Amino acid sequence: MHPLIARYLSPEAARETLEKEKNGEPLGPEERLFAQTASAHPDKRNELMGGKGKRNLSSDAEAAVVFLAAYAATHAIAEDPALKDATQKARESLKSEGATDDETDAFIAAILLEEAFGYEEEVETFDSSFVQEALGEVPSLAALTREQVDALVLGFEKGAKDETERNVRAHISRALVNIAWGEGPTPINPEHMEALYENEIADKPEAEMEAGLRATVDFLQLLAKEGLIGTQRLTRLRAQIGDEEA
C-alpha cells in the first residue's frame, strides 16, 4: 500500500490535514497533496468533513477518504524517482486517446487501489515493482481498439485443438472481455477474475470446470504475450484461480 494511502485511511489524519489547511498552518509534502486533492474534489471533502465529531464514518465518508487518498497518491508517484517515467508515459498515453485529467487520475488510482487492496496477501510495504509494471501496461491498453480485441479473441479460438476446445475458448475469452473491457480496456484485476469464475466456471461439472480454467489461463497467457498483462499480474491472476503452475 502506498504510504500516502496508508496515512490517510485514518479519517482523523485526513481531517487534521484539512483543518490545518483551513487554519493556514504549514503543510508537509504529503499533507499538501492531500489538501490539494480535496480542494479539487469539494464533494468528497464535504462528505469527509461533514461527519466531523462522529465516532463512526458513514459509508459515503469512508468512500471519500479512500477516494481522496488514492487520487493524492496518483500525484505522489509522479514525483517518485522509481515511478516517475512510467507514470508520465501512462498519463500521456491515456490523454492521447482522449481521456480527461480526471479520467486519467481515476485510471491510475485504480492501479494503486488494486495494489493496496486487490489481493489476499497482506503486504506491509508498497509494492513499487508491481505498480511500475501495471503502469507499463497502460500504453498498450489505451491504444487497444475493439477491432484488435475481436482479432485477439478470434485468433485464440482458432488456436484450439478441436471444436470442443474452440467453443470453450470462445465462451471464456468473450466473457472475460465483456467483464473487464465492457467500458474500455483496463488492467484485468482480481474482481474481473472473480466475476468470470463465479459466472462461467463455478458449479459446473468437473470436466467443464477444468476446461474453463485451462481456457482462462491460456487466454491470460495470450494477453501477456501481447503486452496487455505484465508477468507479475499474470502470476497473481493465475494463482487466484488456483492454477498450480503459477
Side-chain angles (χ1 to χ4, degrees), residues 183-197:
E183 297 182 2
T186 60
I188 295 177
N189 64 41
E191 290 184 4
H192 300 143
M193 299 306 297
E194 182 178 358
L196 178 71
Y197 184 84

Side-chain angles (χ1 to χ4, degrees), residues 47-125:
E47 287 286 356
L48 174 59
M49 299 305 286
K52 184 182 176 185
K54 296 180 181 180
R55 184 171 184 179
N56 296 314
L57 288 178
S58 69
S59 59
D60 288 342
E62 289 177 341
V65 172
V66 174
F67 177 98
L68 293 174
Y71 271 54
T74 67
H75 295 283
I77 63 173
E79 303 302 324
D80 183 332
L83 298 173
K84 183 176 182 179
D85 288 346
T87 302
Q88 182 178 353
K89 289 178 182 177
R91 284 187 172 278
E92 289 174 351
S93 66
L94 290 167
K95 290 182 177 180
S96 70
E97 296 298 326
T100 64
D101 287 341
D102 197 55
E103 289 170 338
T104 299
D105 283 346
F107 199 105
I108 296 175
I111 291 173
L112 293 173
L113 289 172
E114 178 190 354
E115 185 277 332
F117 306 112
Y119 300 90
E120 293 182 359
E121 301 85 354
E122 293 187 6
V123 181
E124 295 182 359
T125 58

Side-chain angles (χ1 to χ4, degrees), residues 39-233:
S39 294
H41 300 277
D43 56 331
K44 304 299 183 185
R45 181 187 182 118
N46 292 338
E47 287 286 356
L48 174 59
M49 299 305 286
K52 184 182 176 185
K54 296 180 181 180
R55 184 171 184 179
N56 296 314
L57 288 178
S58 69
S59 59
D60 288 342
E62 289 177 341
V65 172
V66 174
F67 177 98
L68 293 174
Y71 271 54
T74 67
H75 295 283
I77 63 173
E79 303 302 324
D80 183 332
L83 298 173
K84 183 176 182 179
D85 288 346
T87 302
Q88 182 178 353
K89 289 178 182 177
R91 284 187 172 278
E92 289 174 351
S93 66
L94 290 167
K95 290 182 177 180
S96 70
E97 296 298 326
T100 64
D101 287 341
D102 197 55
E103 289 170 338
T104 299
D105 283 346
F107 199 105
I108 296 175
I111 291 173
L112 293 173
L113 289 172
E114 178 190 354
E115 185 277 332
F117 306 112
Y119 300 90
E120 293 182 359
E121 301 85 354
E122 293 187 6
V123 181
E124 295 182 359
T125 58
F126 176 50
D127 193 344
S128 177
S129 175
F130 175 75
V131 170
Q132 184 178 35
E133 179 184 270
L135 291 169
E137 297 167 354
V138 176
S140 295
L141 288 167
L144 193 62
T145 65
R146 185 72 222 186
E147 292 74 19
Q148 289 172 323
V149 173
D150 290 342
L152 278 172
V153 170
L154 288 173
F156 182 61
E157 294 172 18
K158 291 179 180 179
K161 64 178 181 292
D162 54 38
E163 184 176 359
T164 299
E165 184 177 79
R166 182 161 52 251
N167 290 337
V168 175
R169 284 187 165 206
H171 183 74
I172 290 294
S173 59
R174 292 175 190 276
L176 183 55
V177 164
N178 288 335
I179 291 168
W181 295 344
E183 297 182 2
T186 60
I188 295 177
N189 64 41
E191 290 184 4
H192 300 143
M193 299 306 297
E194 182 178 358
L196 178 71
Y197 184 84
E198 291 182 354
N199 295 341
E200 310 297 342
I201 298 174
D203 301 323
K204 298 288 194 303
E206 184 176 356
E208 291 183 28
M209 287 185 65
E210 290 180 356
L213 289 170
R214 185 69 260 161
T216 301
V217 171
D218 288 345
F219 190 55
L220 291 175
Q221 289 177 320
L222 173 63
L223 296 180
K225 183 179 178 180
E226 295 296 324
L228 299 167
I229 292 180
T231 56
Q232 294 180 68
R233 182 181 300 279

